[in-house]
Amino acid sequence: TSHRGVGLDMFVVAPSTGAPVDASTWHALERHLSDALSGRAGLESLLEGRRRHYRSRPVPDATPCKVTLGPCGPFSSSVHVRTHDRIGLLHDLASAIQCAGLDIRRAVVTTRSGVADDVFDLTDAMGSPPQRDVLETVLVPLLAAAADNGSGR
């Protein structure tokens, strides 16, 4: 947990090739993650560099973005986002959630076969579940726009 209250409980990486992840890759990941969490890395410029380096090809059968509101529990509200994965998608979704004035209590982020399937448990600034109308009218359009943000890249 950082001084800003950012916590990372579990992080699992499974290469698409099935090959083991070597020590140098882990060290680089730890360095980049530490720099990003501490604010030392200009995350926007790093992502833009990755986007330029790994130009996306048009995907004819790309998964359309689908944002689904889940149950409103006693501690948080659940939002499910399923869309075609791309570089910077998670950052753009988290930024949209922040822009809506919400906090991520828990996230389950999964990508398989180029499809991002993410679930976010959200709270408002007071730590309570957000009102459903805020989710429907503010958050869902922001998440849909964030998911589509890089589709033409």
Side-chain angles (χ1 to χ4, degrees):
T1 303
S2 76
H3 67 282
R4 290 191 200 145
V6 175
L8 186 60
D9 183 34
M10 182 173 32
F11 188 77
V12 178
V13 175
S16 59
T17 63
V21 178
D22 64 23
S24 65
T25 301
W26 279 118
H27 292 303
L29 173 68
E30 288 172 350
R31 188 178 67 252
H32 289 307
L33 186 58
S34 176
D35 288 348
L37 291 174
S38 70
R40 290 188 304 266
L43 198 51
E44 295 290 337
S45 62
L46 286 173
L47 283 172
E48 191 53 43
R50 296 284 178 166
R51 287 177 180 129
R52 278 193 311 272
H53 183 74
Y54 297 103
R55 289 272 179 206
S56 295
R57 292 183 303 264
V59 182
D61 58 344
T63 302
C65 177
K66 181 176 181 183
V67 180
T68 308
L69 298 179
C72 217
F75 303 108
S76 62
S77 294
S78 176
V79 178
H80 180 201
V81 181
R82 183 176 169 85
T83 191
H84 180 73
D85 195 24
R86 61 174 172 79
I87 293 173
L89 175 64
L90 182 58
H91 173 267
D92 292 344
L93 294 176
S95 295
I97 291 168
Q98 181 184 25
C99 185
L102 302 174
D103 293 320
I104 301 171
R105 180 181 175 100
R106 181 176 83 97
V108 178
V109 179
T110 308
T111 301
R112 286 195 178 96
S113 301
V115 177
D117 197 9
D118 304 338
V119 178
F120 301 96
D121 291 344
L122 307 174
T123 61
D124 63 16
M126 302 303 289
S128 300
Q131 298 295 319
R132 188 138 183 114
D133 64 323
V134 170
L135 297 175
E136 290 172 348
T137 61
V138 178
L139 182 62
V140 170
L142 286 172
L143 288 172
D148 290 338
N149 184 31
S151 59
R153 288 191 171 130

